[in-house]
Amino acid sequence: MSFLRYFLFIGAIILAAQLHAQSISFKGIIQDAHTKEPVSYASVYFTRSSIGKTSDSAGNFSFYISKFSKDTMVVTFVGYETYKLPITDSMNNQTIVVQLQRGAATNGVLVKSKINKGLYLWKKIMSKKKQYNRYNLPNFGYEAYNKLEIDLKNFKPEKAKRNFLLKPFSFVFDNIDSTSEKEPFLPAYLVESVSDYAFQKNTKKYFENVKASNTKGFSNESITKLMGVMNQNVNVYGNYVNVMDKDFIGPFNDNADVYYNFQVPDTQVVNGKKIFHFVFSPKHAGQNTFEGDAWVTAQTYQIQKINLYLGKDANINYIDRVSVFQEFIPLNDTVYFLNRDKFFADFKILGKQSLTFIGRKTTSYRNIIINSDSITALFKQQPIEEVVKTEPGSNLKSDSVWNALRHDTLSTNEKAIYATVDKLLQMPKFQRLQNTLKFIGTGYKQLTNYEIGPWFNWISTNSWEGLRLRFDLGTTTGFNKHIYLHTYLAYGFADKKFKGKAEAFWIVKRDPKRFRLHASYSNDIDNGISQVGDVGQDNIFSLAIRKPNTTRKFIQLQDVRFEVFNELGKGFSTEWFISHRQYTPLKNLPFKETFPVSEGLPLSNFEVAMKLRFAYLEQFIEGDYFRYSLGTKYPIAELMLAKGFSGILNSAYNYTKIGLSVKDYMKISPYGSFSYKVYAGKINGTLPFAFLENHPGNDIYYYNPNSFNLMNRFEYLSDQYAGVNVEHNIGSGLFRFVPFTRKLKLRQFWNAKALWGSLSDANTTLNNKSGSFKTLNGSTYLEVGTGIDNILKVLRLDFVWRVLPRPLPANKISRFGVFGSFQFQF
């Protein structure tokens, strides 16, 4: 009886299952969650029924199951986290979008073999590297369509809408996309460009013509040029792949087998041709390498597709994820050429849970030509290595013209961005918010045709002036686009004197060769700024970082000057100076009476000078009136010649000066970067200290790369001198071997500054009556330093030793110091 009941129970279960089971049909596509590129040949199967298949080359899959009951679909692929999705009959006739997140590159089944197939395939690819690297072709050219989208993620729209600053712009949040990705994001900004690009190997030359640029909110031509493809090319066949100006060791570096593990977990046959799935992952934690995969053709070993993902331990700031995708297509039987590429990066400035900026750059290539006589003819007319130009009206193209120029159509999100940005730019409240943020960030507040600031110079204090107040006023492009006027007035409550400056800049010509005039008058305390980027002592921040036991020296400078800057082309420029300076020592320096003269006034000069500068292929960001150098990959040389004349405007001195400097910054991957500056100069004439070479010292604890940080201002004088500064930024260095410091992304560096100088007998006699100055007399001054960079991503600590000259026992000179500085770097 019990057996009969059991039999009936089992039969009932089977019958119920048969009655419940029904057919189901659905399809799907598998994508990389970051780049949205299809994942080819991924495994798709069900846990209960064990039914399964692989996606096709486009990431597509489909199932028809005649007798289906609830089950779980599993998607796996090497290098990605396992994806699981419960499937019910409600999904019948649905399309499923599967987005795989990057995970451990070693998941999947590893088959042990006597032959390392991954390393073997890598060596085969490397044997074809020179042949397939497009930069080894005699020449090539194409039309490129570049699109950069900026999105926001990790924010709470409802909270943002209640914010009193953002409430007027709440309509922006109507564009939130909550379906395309796992987490909602807000499309925020879009930039497009279309350009013609060409390259020639011998003699190496590059050319780009930006035909169209769509940059809502600004029309800066220098930004338009940077948005082209000249500065954004990723060459996966190169030894290094540049990410945010940092070189990462590529998987096809000549020595990549030292840095990477290689695997071949899969082989597929597509259109009768075998292709290998090539997977690579870092061997060592903390090195700037990638993980990723590529599909490689058998026999010819050409890359069809490749994905690069930033290693999780890479020493790079503010970036949570980086993905690079490239696709190659055959041009003929032997050449595969780049067809599409993507560069996606997630920026998190304040931590993992903070607001995230997503940059999505996509580029497509058309009209590809190689080994063309037309390109050869083009470069015969080009005298320099690189030329980037923009067509007139490139940023004024109509919507209909853009529809014809684009290589693909804009998505709904992208169209919404343009509509939103147009509306924002027309809102007075948004313009006021922009000005407020600019005031906080840069220090300047725009008032229609005028601006005030910087605010950090408004208040300071020192032992001569006591409390010092300063107010600056300048014009904007609303006043005049080519003429900039600026003035400031300062008052010291201890010395009870006003100081100030008035100046005018006239940009006579901007392009193609800049021509500028500058005239100024100033009468103020010399605050120790000798080069752009130096931190002076006329600001509120200097109060907290002055060296406590340093005797500060004060001197008043009245300066009248006229300057002419002329860009000559091919990297050459000249700048002419006519100046009249009059110094008045105020405290802890020899007074005027120490320097009697036969004509004119003591410590007064009239000088004509010329600076010749050579900076080949230097790049700039153009501002309203001034431009800011982005540097060059070549050394920068400067020659300075000056002649002083007595008898003009009460000048008391005849002299000549000559100075020469060469500096460079270079990447020495994988060993970081190296910079140097070599300089020398000579002054002929008997002169007081103010017109000799006062070697730059530092009276504050903020590290100055252009000064000797353990030397005081006005400590050493020379009339002939030579020096060298070097710095090697190593990167992670030893810190990568310790898990804690590797996680903090600390970086190492070392530097050294050496100086040789002497002072003629006549100048020694004139200037050392009071014993206020020193001279090296041909001996060496040497500072060496090392330290920790990238502390909390912004702070650098320098530990500096003053090695030479050795001090006398009675001299109490600081021979060691700790200096800090801030910098924003990736």
Side-chain angles (χ1 to χ4, degrees), residues 23 58 72 99 123 126 128 130 136 161 177 345 348 398 416 460 552 564 586 612 646 674 720 736 740 823:
S23 64
T72 299
Q99 295 190 347
K123 289 180 177 179
M126 294 299 292
K128 301 287 187 177
K130 288 186 178 180
N136 284 324
K161 289 179 181 179
D177 186 331
K348 292 188 176 182
S398 65
S460 61
R552 288 201 62 196
V564 179
L586 300 174
L612 176 65
S646 62
F674 185 80
Q720 57 181 359
R736 72 181 178 87
F740 178 69
Q823 54 189 343

Side-chain angles (χ1 to χ4, degrees), residues 546-552 699 701 712 812 814:
R546 286 187 185 140
K547 296 178 183 176
N549 299 318
T550 298
T551 301
R552 288 201 62 196
D699 289 347
Y701 279 123
N712 296 325
K812 294 182 179 180
S814 176

Side-chain angles (χ1 to χ4, degrees), residues 260-276:
Y260 286 94
N261 293 312
F262 304 115
Q263 301 171 39
V264 183
D266 190 16
T267 303
Q268 296 286 334
V269 177
V270 180
N271 297 326
K273 294 183 179 180
K274 184 186 291 187
I275 57 174
F276 298 115

Side-chain angles (χ1 to χ4, degrees), residues 24-31 38-46 51-65 72-76 83-87 91 93-100:
I24 186 172
S25 174
F26 64 91
K27 59 183 178 180
I29 182 171
I30 305 172
Q31 297 176 338
V39 177
S40 307
Y41 314 117
S43 297
V44 187
Y45 63 91
F46 293 89
I51 298 172
K53 59 174 60 176
T54 59
S55 61
D56 63 16
S57 61
N60 297 308
F61 66 90
S62 62
F63 284 97
Y64 172 78
I65 304 173
T72 299
M73 184 181 74
V74 180
V75 181
T76 63
Y83 180 93
K84 295 181 179 180
L85 178 69
I87 301 294
M91 294 182 176
N93 296 322
Q94 298 294 315
T95 298
I96 301 170
V97 178
V98 176
Q99 295 190 347
L100 298 184

